[in-house]
Amino acid sequence: MATFNLRRFSKPEMLRRIDRKHLIAFLEPHAAYFSARGVELPPVQQEDGLDYNALSHLLLTPDSTTPDDLAEALFYVNEVSTPEGFDSIQDEIAGTDIDVEIGENAAPADLAIQVWMADREIIEKVHAEQFFMNVRSFEYFKTKKNPLPDFLLPSQETLAALESDLDEWFSKKRRGKYSKVFVYPKEGHTWFLVRHGKPYAREAVIEAGESTSQYFRPEKFDVLAYNPVIGEIRMNAETKGEKELYRKKFGFHLFGDEEFFNERSRFDLEPLRQIGEDALLCDDVDGIEHVRLKEVQVFWGGAHKDVEIRRSEDLFASLRDREKSLPAGGKIVKASFQIKFDGSKTPRSVTLSSGNRAQFKRDGDAEVIERWLGLRGFIVGAGGTSDE
């Protein structure tokens, strides 16, 4: 799990903003733990008797006796008790009995606590979805199947079978066996978030004035997105083994074939040399104001594997002013762009490698960027200039 940092429980006045009866009901299953540490939880129906100062201090000083399920509940509620989390939770419960039962005056932490007690998986899903915006690097894989088979959202049975296969691999690789796959259909793609454990970690801590160790299994989120129009899946994962696992198992459980995604997608940077500044045109892509080339890397090879780097605030403008051009020889292996999006105050960077890797400043930009890349010929097989 991520660091135990409870911003919402940092001050007594923050706790007072949570409906008292819901807060006590949330904590009551661990009344014995609170009592042992000097905090007595009053009955839910009692109007006073809750020491907010003592409770806040206790929650901010967990120790080896803190129940794991209490720490987990506090972590998730804290993480989603934000304006964005508040709206996401409401979207998830809209039209359900849970929505009807919760009053209209619920504050963010109030809402999170009540929904956690009713169905913790909703809170876990909302928390997981927050990771989409943090992903910055993807590798792309595609299928050679033609025509493309129809894609259907996986059933709960399919997801359970997928999780079982993932668990087997993670367990063998000493990462634990409790993976969870979340599915999010959005913007023409289907997104998959895989939550799983990492290898055990050790951290030195001080308890009762003595140095000791705590062992725990960190939590990891991997992100995949399937594009049903071109039969391509992109993924963000930490290791080569995890990427190969996802390539095979998602192919098998979504399409019945472990080798469905059997080809690496590829970016081609030659349009920068072949059509020059026109490769940055973006008038035909909604959502982008302008694109500038910031850097190119040219691989010359040879005995010393030479790489030439050209970098500028606006590389094409600089070349124009000096009546120069990009090198005629060598292979362009990497390019960095600065893209100004509609409604954004500052441009954001995008880096492409001539293989199958792309790095975005924010993954929410991916669909717009991929549309532009395809139209300008940077994606092989989607109007690219070469298919070697």
Side-chain angles (χ1 to χ4, degrees):
M1 181 176 295
T3 305
F4 194 78
N5 179 18
L6 304 180
R7 298 183 301 276
R8 244 64 59 183
F9 301 99
S10 60
K11 297 179 181 178
E13 57 265 31
M14 300 298 291
L15 288 172
R16 293 181 188 275
R17 295 178 187 176
I18 303 172
D19 185 282
R20 184 179 173 281
K21 65 179 183 294
H22 296 313
L23 178 60
I24 294 175
F26 176 66
L27 301 175
E28 197 277 332
H30 304 285
Y33 161 73
F34 288 105
S35 180
R37 293 196 60 190
V39 176
E40 300 295 336
L41 298 179
V44 171
Q45 63 272 18
Q46 188 172 313
E47 294 186 2
D48 54 21
L50 182 60
D51 188 336
Y52 286 97
N53 290 312
L55 177 60
S56 176
H57 176 73
L58 186 155
L59 294 176
L60 286 169
T61 56
D63 60 18
S64 59
T65 68
T66 303
D68 289 343
D69 51 346
L70 172 62
E72 186 171 38
L74 289 168
F75 169 78
Y76 278 109
V77 167
N78 179 75
E79 288 290 296
V80 302
S81 296
T82 63
E84 295 80 9
F86 186 64
D87 288 342
S88 296
I89 293 171
Q90 292 184 88
D91 290 341
E92 289 293 328
I93 66 174
T96 68
D97 291 341
I98 298 175
D99 194 14
V100 174
E101 293 168 1
I102 295 176
E104 63 179 13
N105 295 325
D110 237 353
L111 180 69
I113 280 177
Q114 292 178 73
V115 175
W116 175 271
M117 291 190 293
D119 187 348
R120 61 175 287 170
E121 288 193 0
I122 293 174
I123 300 300
E124 290 180 353
K125 182 179 181 182
V126 169
H127 172 255
E129 190 171 17
Q130 295 175 354
F131 282 80
F132 286 142
M133 296 305 293
N134 297 325
V135 177
R136 297 184 177 186
S137 178
F138 285 91
E139 291 190 28
Y140 292 70
F141 300 86
K142 61 184 179 182
T143 183
K144 289 184 177 179
K145 297 288 185 181
N146 189 13
L148 284 175
D150 292 336
F151 172 72
L152 301 175
L153 288 177
S155 65
Q156 288 301 316
E157 292 76 12
T158 297
L159 290 177
L162 172 59
E163 289 166 353
S164 178
D165 276 357
L166 298 181
D167 283 348
E168 181 179 354
W169 189 91
F170 287 130
S171 180
K172 287 180 180 178
K173 298 297 182 180
R174 295 179 174 83
R175 288 166 168 80
K177 57 177 297 184
Y178 301 104
S179 63
K180 178 73 174 177
V181 179
F182 301 90
V183 183
Y184 303 88
K186 51 188 273 187
E187 300 175 358
H189 290 58
T190 297
W191 293 78
F192 300 92
L193 194 75
V194 182
R195 185 186 68 195
H196 64 87
K198 297 180 68 174
Y200 252 76
R202 172 191 176 277
E203 188 167 328
V205 298
I206 299 293
E207 287 188 5
E210 298 293 331
S211 178
T212 185
S213 298
Q214 285 187 354
Y215 292 88
F216 60 97
R217 188 178 299 283
E219 185 179 62
K220 179 71 167 62
F221 287 89
D222 296 328
V223 177
L224 300 90
Y226 177 64
N227 183 338
V229 176
I230 60 176
E232 181 180 71
I233 194 166
R234 68 174 182 264
M235 62 181 70
N236 172 275
E238 193 168 41
T239 69
K240 182 178 179 180
E242 288 167 346
K243 294 168 189 173
E244 183 66 4
L245 170 71
Y246 296 146
R247 185 187 72 80
K248 288 185 174 181
K249 296 307 178 183
F250 274 81
F252 178 74
H253 289 284
L254 297 181
F255 298 102
D257 182 1
E258 280 199 347
E259 294 303 319
F260 183 80
F261 298 110
N262 63 348
E263 184 174 283
R264 285 177 175 267
S265 303
R266 192 162 62 81
F267 296 114
D268 179 10
L269 299 174
E270 281 303 307
L272 293 173
R273 186 149 43 196
Q274 294 175 358
I275 60 177
E277 202 163 359
D278 284 349
L280 306 185
L281 294 176
C282 58
D283 293 346
D284 52 350
V285 181
D286 291 338
I288 297 180
E289 288 186 16
H290 67 250
V291 181
R292 289 176 180 159
L293 180 64
K294 298 276 291 184
E295 179 181 312
V296 295
Q297 294 187 20
V298 180
F299 179 71
W300 290 97
H304 304 291
K305 301 188 183 303
D306 292 352
V307 174
E308 179 182 352
I309 298 175
R310 300 282 185 93
R311 185 183 296 123
S312 172
E313 288 298 310
D314 186 336
L315 188 53
F316 275 125
S318 174
L319 292 172
R320 213 184 321 115
D321 289 346
R322 294 183 292 113
E323 298 183 350
K324 301 288 186 179
S325 60
L326 291 175
K331 178 179 176 61
I332 302 177
V333 294
K334 183 178 287 189
S336 294
F337 305 89
Q338 194 173 71
I339 299 181
K340 176 68 167 60
F341 293 89
D342 292 343
S344 175
K345 292 182 179 180
T346 57
R348 296 194 282 272
S349 63
V350 176
T351 300
L352 299 182
S353 299
S354 57
N356 72 331
R357 184 186 298 271
Q359 292 177 288
F360 307 121
K361 198 70 174 178
R362 288 189 352 185
D363 185 58
D365 303 332
E367 277 76 19
V368 176
I369 292 171
E370 288 175 0
R371 193 177 311 125
W372 172 71
L373 292 173
L375 289 170
R376 299 289 85 81
F378 291 113
I379 299 178
V380 175
T385 57
S386 69
D387 194 9
E388 59 189 25

